Amino acid sequence: MKASSKLPHYGQIRSAKDAGQLCRAERKRQGLTQVDLYTSSALSTRFLSEFEHGKEHVSLSKALLALQSLGLDVLVFPRNEAQQLLRLWKHSSEPHDTSKSKP
């Protein structure tokens, strides 16, 4: 499978559906199939399919394992602090125009 150049929407996860969509986007970005992820995580392809398609009632431990197997970490902060961190992260990850920088 060809890796996708489109970055997943990293950030706040408010539901199992959000987490599953992020998992699918990251897996595709890495050029992996569900079978590839199954091989590295030992999670069933049925679970992975249901998780990626937004099944609301999934095992938290399995969902975390799927994300960790893709090299993703889950961080938990108080909402106000999380929003501030997201703004800082998005600002720092924006492309910077270096053509105007002085030598």
Side-chain angles (χ1 to χ4, degrees):
M1 178 181 233
K2 182 180 173 187
S4 170
S5 60
K6 182 181 177 188
L7 286 177
H9 182 71
Y10 301 118
Q12 283 182 311
I13 300 293
R14 295 278 177 107
S15 67
K17 183 177 181 178
D18 291 346
Q21 288 174 340
L22 176 63
C23 182
R24 178 180 172 93
E26 179 64 20
R27 176 180 59 76
K28 289 184 170 237
R29 186 192 70 78
Q30 292 183 26
L32 301 173
T33 65
Q34 286 182 347
V35 173
D36 295 328
L37 187 52
Y38 155 78
T39 302
S40 66
S41 69
L43 294 168
S44 72
T45 53
R46 178 179 176 175
F47 170 80
L48 292 169
S49 178
E50 289 175 348
F51 178 47
E52 289 184 354
H53 286 92
K55 182 177 179 184
E56 284 297 321
H57 301 285
V58 296
S59 162
L60 178 59
S61 61
K62 288 181 179 180
L64 291 172
L65 180 57
L67 295 170
Q68 290 167 354
S69 295
L70 291 168
L72 298 174
D73 284 325
V74 176
L75 307 172
V76 178
F77 293 94
R79 185 169 293 147
N80 187 39
E81 291 176 34
Q83 291 171 348
Q84 290 174 358
L85 288 169
L86 280 170
R87 281 192 295 275
L88 287 170
W89 177 77
K90 286 180 180 179
H91 177 72
S92 70
S93 64
E94 291 176 356
H96 300 285
D97 183 5
T98 57
S99 63
K100 296 178 183 178
S101 61
K102 297 179 181 178

